[in-house]
Amino acid sequence: MMQEEASYICDACGEEIVIPVDLTAGTEQEYVEDCPVCCHPNVIHLQVEPDGDVRIWAAGE
């Protein structure tokens, strides 16, 4: 079963941010999203592993 949500740690404020996983954009994604807590832009990296696990992490823009 595919994950519908994943979380990352904001690079600026350290908050854990939960976001929906949209696999229509592919199994490897990279996009910029502003933190809903501190508004700092994060580069979100998302990978879907062969077993269906979603790996997500953020880096400062």
Side-chain angles (χ1 to χ4, degrees):
M1 176 149 165
M2 197 60 71
Q3 286 178 250
E4 294 181 13
E5 293 184 329
S7 65
Y8 67 90
I9 304 298
C10 175
D11 190 59
C13 70
E15 284 289 325
E16 181 178 12
I17 310 301
V18 176
I19 58 172
V21 174
D22 178 10
L23 297 179
T24 60
T27 57
E28 287 198 27
Q29 302 175 31
E30 183 177 309
Y31 56 93
V32 176
E33 183 167 287
D34 290 343
C35 174
V37 176
C38 72
C39 298
H40 181 84
N42 287 283
V43 180
I44 308 301
H45 301 270
L46 183 144
Q47 285 183 327
V48 180
E49 305 294 338
D51 63 3
D53 280 350
V54 175
R55 200 166 89 85
I56 189 167
W57 68 98
E61 187 179 42

